[in-house]
């Protein structure tokens, strides 16, 4: 399976290290827990990034990277029905049984290199979490970064 990430050019070399998520935490991991957030398509990766950008702020140094997961990965999938109700809201991202708790547990267990989880902006599509500490991480085939530009219309203010 091919997965996709978009990041700023200065961070491309470490795009699959999990360092950014380790430093800041995220929906599926607590601060201090390294995790790589990727998507099953470039367009979903773009939407996932876009929802976190400031209105009118079009970054000019973005790149996309794709990678191929090794055979048998993602090893696990979390369906929406297995998640807490309203899992997509920010107030349910932390605490016991939360998405963060589920992700941290998966990271600690190292039961698979990759875990498929539903996307928040488009809940019928899938993101892929990658455990950079997993023994199969070296099998991930990462392509060279390529320039990525959002259409200027996405940043026009009404």
């Amino acid at each position: 399976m091919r997965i996709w990430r978009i990041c700023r050019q200065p961070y491309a070399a470490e795009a699959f290290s999990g360092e950014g998520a380790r430093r800041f935490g995220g929906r599926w991991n607590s601060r201090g827990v390294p995790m790589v957030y990727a998507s099953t398509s470039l367009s979903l990766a773009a939407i996932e990034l876009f929802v976190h950008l400031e209105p009118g702020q079009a970054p000019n140094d973005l790149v996309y990277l794709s990678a191929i997961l090794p055979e048998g990965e993602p090893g696990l999938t979390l369906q929406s029905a297995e998640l807490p109700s309203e899992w997509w809201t920010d107030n349910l991202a932390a605490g016991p049984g939360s998405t963060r708790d589920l992700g941290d547990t998966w990271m600690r267990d190292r039961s698979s290199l990759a875990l498929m989880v539903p996307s928040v902006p488009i809940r019928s599509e899938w993101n892929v979490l990658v455990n950079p500490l997993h023994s199969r991480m070296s099998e991930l085939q990462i392509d060279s970064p390529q320039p990525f530009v959002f259409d200027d219309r996405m940043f026009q203010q009404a």
Side-chain angles (χ1 to χ4, degrees):
M1 169 184 266
R2 184 171 295 277
I3 58 174
W4 305 84
R5 282 185 52 78
I6 299 174
C7 65
R8 295 185 61 202
Q9 170 60 45
Y11 305 110
E14 60 185 42
F16 284 88
S17 71
E19 179 59 18
R22 184 195 67 77
R23 290 179 58 210
F24 301 105
R27 178 169 305 280
W28 296 96
N29 72 299
S30 298
R31 181 180 278 181
V33 178
M35 183 179 285
V36 177
Y37 286 73
S39 297
T40 55
S41 69
L42 179 57
S43 56
L44 181 58
I47 290 170
E48 290 283 352
L49 174 62
F50 186 75
V51 298
H52 295 287
L53 297 175
E54 294 294 324
Q57 175 192 347
N60 61 5
D61 63 348
L62 295 175
V63 296
Y64 71 85
L65 298 97
S66 67
I68 298 176
L69 291 168
E71 188 69 32
E73 294 290 347
L76 298 171
T77 299
L78 281 179
Q79 302 287 339
S80 294
E82 299 173 76
L83 301 174
S85 62
E86 299 184 12
W87 60 269
W88 57 89
T89 63
D90 288 338
N91 61 343
L92 291 174
S98 67
T99 54
R100 233 177 246 151
D101 188 42
L102 291 169
D104 290 351
T105 299
W106 169 74
M107 286 290 297
R108 275 192 308 274
D109 292 348
R110 297 186 187 180
S111 52
S112 65
L113 170 63
L115 172 66
M116 288 188 59
V117 296
S119 164
V120 170
I122 303 177
R123 293 185 207 138
S124 61
E125 294 200 24
W126 297 92
N127 285 320
V128 179
L129 308 177
V130 178
N131 183 341
L133 304 177
H134 194 275
S135 61
R136 295 190 75 190
M137 187 63 183
S138 64
E139 297 177 47
L140 191 68
Q141 299 172 29
I142 304 169
D143 295 330
S144 299
Q146 301 297 316
F148 181 85
V149 179
F150 281 107
D151 185 308
D152 286 340
R153 295 174 293 179
M154 296 174 75
F155 295 91
Q156 291 176 355
Q157 295 182 350

